[in-house]
Amino acid sequence: MKIAVIGSGYVGLVAAACFAELGHTVICVDNDPEKIAVLHRGETLIHEQYLPELLARHRGQRVIFSGDLSEAVRASSVIVIAVGTPPLETGDADLSYVETVARDIARSLNSYKVVIEKSTVPVYTSEWIRRVMQLASATAADFDVVSNPEFLREGTAVTDFLYPDRIVVGADSDRAAEVLRQMYAPLTTGSYYQQAGAIPEPAGAQRPARLIVTTAKSAELIKHASNAFLALKISFINAVANVCEAVNADVEQVALGMGTDSRIGRRFLQAGIGYGGSCFPKDVAAFRSVARECGYDFPILQEIIRVNDEQRRRFLKKVRTALWTLRGKRLAVLGLAYKGGTDDIRESPAIDIIRSLLSEQCSVVAYDPAAMERALQVITGDLTFAEDPYQAAVGADALLILTDWEEFASLDLARIKGLLRYPIVIDGRNLYSREVMQKHGLLYVSVGRATVELESSQASALNLNK
Ligand code: NAD
């Protein structure tokens, strides 16, 4: 199939590379000339496992990059909209990028096209796209609009795309639904998985992929409801963690006991400093706005947001409690990205917490395997970057863990302890067991678990108990 993907960001670029991997011919469009130039140069734009390999495999053959939307639309039978839908002040999704693209597509139609809405959008958006395209003089018979939400996670985006839990196709026309069935056939028949050089199967993958056909409105709601539910799971376990702290229980034990119930499941029951990223914060807020507009208040959604915000403030309080005063303190921070495996810092709790620490006159030495360049563009103040966790720890008054990168879970703790000014680790992601920290003689503060205190002789030598 000939596919135009409009928007070459985290979703569009991954979708374009993966559709090429499935055998389609893809034109990946962006209106940011800088991005197109970078992609033409052979760079990848974003940090994502397997994306460099896929782009190297298909660039210039089954994937080309272009700034010309009209030409891409004319050359393709399927148009995938993957532009951003950022939040407005009101919490509503800003659909102006989607509207602009819909209008531009309408003006370039030269035959029947299926227009796929892959951006995360509120219910009714497919109807709006149809209406805008008709106002821009497209004829109803010349196109169909299908909602095909994307469920990929940054960090594992390529494998999520190629080994999805499900593919949701919200189509109000059989003709369009059939086009999407064909488009995803290599995944739903399993033929892709037999292919030499196929991207390796992740643990627990369900294949062949399951395709669920719904109405467009149901598909739009599936995406918002799924993200809101995942955010709810995170806020729920964080609220449980706060009770654990009050009664001296251990949230990791509680999460294990809850999560082994197959009706609940272990994933996303991870206590910490809360969710961030470009999806959950905006999607929960947008879902709330949509529900309100439809006449239903949905107060649980507001509570998810409140607990998530509170979690960052509680963490800052822990830093203050561990260090007494913050002014003039030097803090080593591990993690800037909103989660491990990505360079995305949008709505990252780490960035928010660093900004607060800087505003309280701390100096921060940060390390992140992928996100330092992006962080440099958004944070000003007494922030420097280190080459690795150990360099960050040198002479620091405490080490803070803010992102769940795998490499932060296997630090040489004896070395860290030797480098720190005070042996204090404040872990916003619960990457270590209390026992390990105790064994290493570190004062260890985490989320939903009792603090590991220093032996009293060690504490008095450091003047920490005063
Ligand atoms: P992004 O900001 O990384 O990328 C959007 C791209 O669209 C940008 O490169 C921008 O330059 C381009 N663009 C904007 N207007 C354009 C136009 N008129 N013509 C051509 N290009 C244009 O955003 P993203 O993270 O890829 O998210 C895209 C959508 O997918 C959002 O609705 C998001 O909610 C949804 N989504 C994101 C993820 C994720 O993990 N990032 C996962 C699932 C769904």
Side-chain angles (χ1 to χ4, degrees), residues 9-11 30-31 35 83 85 119-120 150 154 279 282 346:
Y10 284 86
V11 167
D30 208 283
N31 66 350
K35 284 194 175 176
V83 296
T85 48
S119 300
T120 301
E150 184 49 61
E154 289 175 23
C279 292
K282 92 172 162 61
R346 290 179 284 183

Side-chain angles (χ1 to χ4, degrees), residues 229-303:
F229 192 77
L230 292 171
L232 170 73
K233 260 185 122 173
I234 296 171
S235 279
F236 189 87
I237 199 65
N238 279 335
V240 171
N242 297 337
V243 178
C244 287
E245 285 175 12
V247 301
N248 220 0
D250 183 328
V251 74
E252 297 300 324
Q253 295 175 359
V254 176
L256 175 69
M258 286 173 67
T260 40
D261 183 328
S262 59
R263 294 168 301 177
I264 297 173
R266 293 222 50 198
R267 289 164 80 189
F268 282 76
L269 281 188
Q270 181 61 54
I273 48 176
Y275 61 78
S278 66
C279 292
F280 287 178
K282 92 172 162 61
D283 293 347
V284 176
F287 194 26
R288 174 139 211 253
S289 290
V290 172
R292 268 191 182 155
E293 264 171 44
C294 302
Y296 181 64
D297 191 31
F298 217 154
I300 293 174
L301 297 178
Q302 190 55 38
E303 194 55 15

Side-chain angles (χ1 to χ4, degrees), residues 182-200:
Q182 282 174 31
M183 198 163 103
Y184 285 108
L187 300 181
T188 54
T189 61
S191 65
Y192 172 69
Y193 309 119
Q194 316 300 325
Q195 207 168 288
I199 293 296

Side-chain angles (χ1 to χ4, degrees), residues 439-462:
K439 204 177 89 197
H440 282 87
L442 287 156
L443 190 158
Y444 181 57
V445 184
S446 56
V447 180
R449 299 182 295 178
T451 296
V452 174
E453 302 288 354
L454 296 179
E455 305 278 317
S456 60
S457 56
Q458 203 185 351
S460 57
L462 289 165

Side-chain angles (χ1 to χ4, degrees), residues 6-13 29-32 35 45-46 69 82-86 97 100-101 104 118-121 149-154 223 227 278-279 282-283 338 344 346:
I6 316 298
S8 310
Y10 284 86
V11 167
L13 191 57
V29 178
D30 208 283
N31 66 350
D32 180 343
K35 284 194 175 176
L45 264 183
I46 53 171
L69 183 145
V83 296
T85 48
Y97 302 96
T100 304
V101 168
D104 290 348
K118 202 168 246 320
S119 300
T120 301
V121 290
E150 184 49 61
F151 299 100
L152 62 76
R153 295 161 300 171
E154 289 175 23
K223 177 63 190 177
N227 273 4
S278 66
C279 292
K282 92 172 162 61
D283 293 347
Y338 80 93
D344 198 344
R346 290 179 284 183

